[in-house]
Amino acid sequence: MQLSSYINQILPLADITNRAIESAFVPVKFSKTQILIPEGKISKEMFFIEKGLARIYYYNESGKDITYSFFTEGMMLTVAESFFGQLPSRYNIESLEDCEMRKITYTDFEMLLKTYPETEKVKSQGLLEFLLKATDRIVTLQFLSAQERYDLLMKNYPSIILRASLGHIASYLGITQETLSRIRAKK
Amino acid sequence: MQLSSYINQILPLADITNRAIESAFVPVKFSKTQILIPEGKISKEMFFIEKGLARIYYYNESGKDITYSFFTEGMMLTVAESFFGQLPSRYNIESLEDCEMRKITYTDFEMLLKTYPETEKVKSQGLLEFLLKATDRIVTLQFLSAQERYDLLMKNYPSIILRASLGHIASYLGITQETLSRIRAKK
DNA sequence: ATAAGCTTTTGATCTAGATCAAATATTAAT
DNA sequence: ATTAATATTTGATCTAGATCAAAAGCTTAT
């Protein structure tokens, strides 16, 4: 999906606003396993993925690397609280494949908000989408079994399951690699 | 906490805006165990709690009543996706004690947004707070043990633990009542 | 092509927390 | 006050998923 269709599907905007947004997002490429946003830093940029796969992750108290979430084509990639709130990020963002993205800086984003007030609505609408995903995730983790969580991911994001590594998927689901491997072997 | 201090702590606003917000929130009382927002309906109202305790809950596939989250004095109570997005709520809101609240209707909320554009920022900032809480919750559920989750709730919201029932707290933590009872008995 | 380094699978065991069931406490209703 | 209804505790099992350990498959770099 293109950035323009992504924005329009969130909220239809005047042509001039659309063009301003388009040109505020500049192309960037990343190779596999680059850190786009490191833990502890304020996110100065937000990304829209045109091609590739990335994840947000953190290290838990015992130092284990835990995937918080995956992002792929047509998704807006950002640690929302850090970018929108300009707070230090508690997570890292890492590319898992060679990626083609578009990025916007926070400065340019603020400029858009000032110049085209209707973008403020894109912001709230965007935040709402992140919130919807987060609440889904909570319900999933609260009471589904490992198998059910896997099936759900498979149903909603089959491409992630095909492209991400076993270990990353397992920690995303809140289970160990061994358990995930056995779930897969079973069917 | 008063509504005015709540708003000001989120974002300082012009006096006139503050006063408009104040008067848009009208007082309401609820007695124990009333349903303020039922599942399936679009939230037409958002509440600010001055006194009392409430929860958001849903029924899982096997019909079990699961507490999604608790709200008490000084908190804004709403199924954010439903109120801000005007979508049908997937959860119920229920009072757990006799409550004194202030409520605003969506119509009045929209009016505020139009008349005082700076309230749009209160909205995004509010959404951001909901998002922050949700991401915390995900991390908690992803890899902490029952005991750790309990300790964390106790540390962050001791008053909830003292006031809510065992069953409600247990489902909130993603465990059974029996397990929670044993965790408590242990210390 | 081969070694070195990762990633995934498989096996054996262990344990946190679930489930089932019954006994106490607590609260509400007549 | 007494009964009925609801919430909590306690006990005895069971099981999903963790942990530990080693083998087998893949990648990547020389």
Side-chain angles (χ1 to χ4, degrees):
Chain A
M1 189 192 299
Q2 295 295 12
L3 176 59
S4 55
S5 9
Y6 173 85
I7 303 280
N8 249 61
Q9 157 225 299
I10 288 186
L11 200 77
L13 296 172
D15 278 5
I16 184 168
T17 315
N18 271 320
R19 258 176 280 128
I21 296 178
E22 270 293 325
S23 62
F25 275 87
V26 306
V28 251
K29 292 194 178 189
F30 293 102
S31 52
K32 215 174 164 162
T33 72
Q34 273 189 273
I35 300 293
L36 320 202
I37 303 282
E39 200 178 327
K41 289 253 171 79
I42 293 173
S43 300
K44 299 247 175 297
E45 293 163 337
M46 172 163 73
F47 307 90
F48 177 78
I49 305 185
E50 295 190 322
K51 201 164 167 312
L53 179 69
R55 66 168 181 142
I56 291 181
Y57 74 99
Y58 62 95
Y59 295 96
N60 72 2
E61 338 76 69
S62 26
K64 222 192 128 208
D65 152 351
I66 314 281
T67 297
Y68 173 85
S69 103
F70 293 105
F71 296 82
T72 182
E73 285 87 9
M75 296 187 188
M76 200 57 90
L77 165 62
T78 174
V79 177
E81 321 86 80
S82 175
F83 183 77
F84 292 112
Q86 288 293 286
L87 300 167
S89 173
R90 296 178 300 166
Y91 313 97
N92 305 281
I93 296 184
E94 178 191 35
S95 57
L96 296 176
E97 294 177 354
D98 293 347
C99 291
E100 285 165 31
M101 304 197 188
R102 307 276 300 272
K103 73 172 182 190
I104 186 169
T105 62
Y106 188 73
T107 324
D108 286 349
F109 182 71
E110 275 198 308
M111 196 80 81
L112 279 179
L113 290 177
K114 253 179 220 148
T115 322
Y116 306 92
E118 56 175 346
T119 51
E120 186 76 50
K121 287 193 185 141
V122 178
K123 180 179 168 185
S124 334
Q125 205 55 39
L127 279 170
L128 214 52
E129 310 249 314
F130 280 107
L131 194 60
L132 259 170
K133 270 204 191 168
T135 56
D136 273 348
R137 197 79 199 291
I138 290 171
V139 170
T140 303
L141 289 169
Q142 212 175 1
F143 272 105
L144 297 191
S145 68
Q147 176 78 59
E148 289 170 315
R149 275 177 265 169
Y150 179 77
D151 293 345
L152 208 60
L153 178 62
M154 181 60 123
K155 189 176 144 223
N156 295 331
Y157 303 101
S159 83
I160 287 170
I161 289 201
L162 295 170
R163 293 155 74 183
S165 79
L166 184 91
H168 292 160
I169 296 172
S171 71
Y172 172 82
L173 295 174
I175 60 179
T176 60
Q177 319 198 52
E178 292 94 329
T179 298
L180 179 51
S181 176
R182 282 183 246 264
I183 284 176
R184 285 184 165 175
K186 204 171 353 162
K187 352 182 128 179
Chain B
M1 192 191 297
Q2 294 295 11
L3 176 60
S4 54
S5 9
Y6 174 85
I7 303 280
N8 248 62
Q9 155 224 299
I10 287 186
L11 200 76
L13 296 172
D15 277 4
I16 184 166
T17 315
N18 270 319
R19 257 175 281 128
I21 295 177
E22 271 292 327
S23 61
F25 275 87
V26 306
V28 252
K29 292 194 179 188
F30 293 102
S31 52
K32 213 173 165 163
T33 72
Q34 273 191 273
I35 300 293
L36 319 203
I37 303 281
E39 200 178 327
K41 290 254 171 77
I42 293 173
S43 300
K44 299 246 175 299
E45 292 161 340
M46 172 163 73
F47 308 90
F48 176 79
I49 306 185
E50 296 192 321
K51 200 162 165 315
L53 179 69
R55 67 171 182 141
I56 290 181
Y57 74 99
Y58 63 94
Y59 295 97
N60 72 1
E61 338 77 70
S62 26
K64 224 193 127 208
D65 150 352
I66 313 281
T67 297
Y68 173 85
S69 101
F70 294 104
F71 296 83
T72 184
E73 285 86 8
M75 295 185 187
M76 200 58 90
L77 165 62
T78 175
V79 177
E81 321 85 81
S82 175
F83 182 77
F84 292 112
Q86 288 294 285
L87 301 167
S89 173
R90 296 179 300 167
Y91 313 97
N92 305 281
I93 297 184
E94 178 192 34
S95 56
L96 297 176
E97 295 177 354
D98 293 348
C99 292
E100 285 165 32
M101 304 196 186
R102 306 275 301 271
K103 73 171 182 192
I104 186 169
T105 63
Y106 189 72
T107 324
D108 286 349
F109 182 71
E110 276 198 306
M111 195 80 80
L112 279 179
L113 290 176
K114 254 179 220 149
T115 322
Y116 307 92
E118 56 176 346
T119 51
E120 186 76 50
K121 287 195 184 140
V122 178
K123 180 179 168 184
S124 334
Q125 204 56 38
L127 279 170
L128 213 53
E129 310 248 315
F130 281 107
L131 194 60
L132 259 170
K133 268 203 193 169
T135 55
D136 273 347
R137 197 75 199 294
I138 291 171
V139 169
T140 303
L141 289 169
Q142 211 175 1
F143 271 105
L144 297 190
S145 68
Q147 176 79 59
E148 289 171 313
R149 277 178 265 169
Y150 179 78
D151 292 345
L152 208 60
L153 178 63
M154 182 59 124
K155 188 175 143 226
N156 296 331
Y157 301 102
S159 83
I160 287 170
I161 289 201
L162 295 170
R163 292 156 73 185
S165 79
L166 184 91
H168 292 160
I169 296 172
S171 70
Y172 172 82
L173 295 173
I175 60 180
T176 59
Q177 321 197 46
E178 293 93 329
T179 299
L180 179 51
S181 175
R182 282 185 246 263
I183 285 177
R184 286 184 162 174
K186 204 172 352 161
K187 346 184 132 181

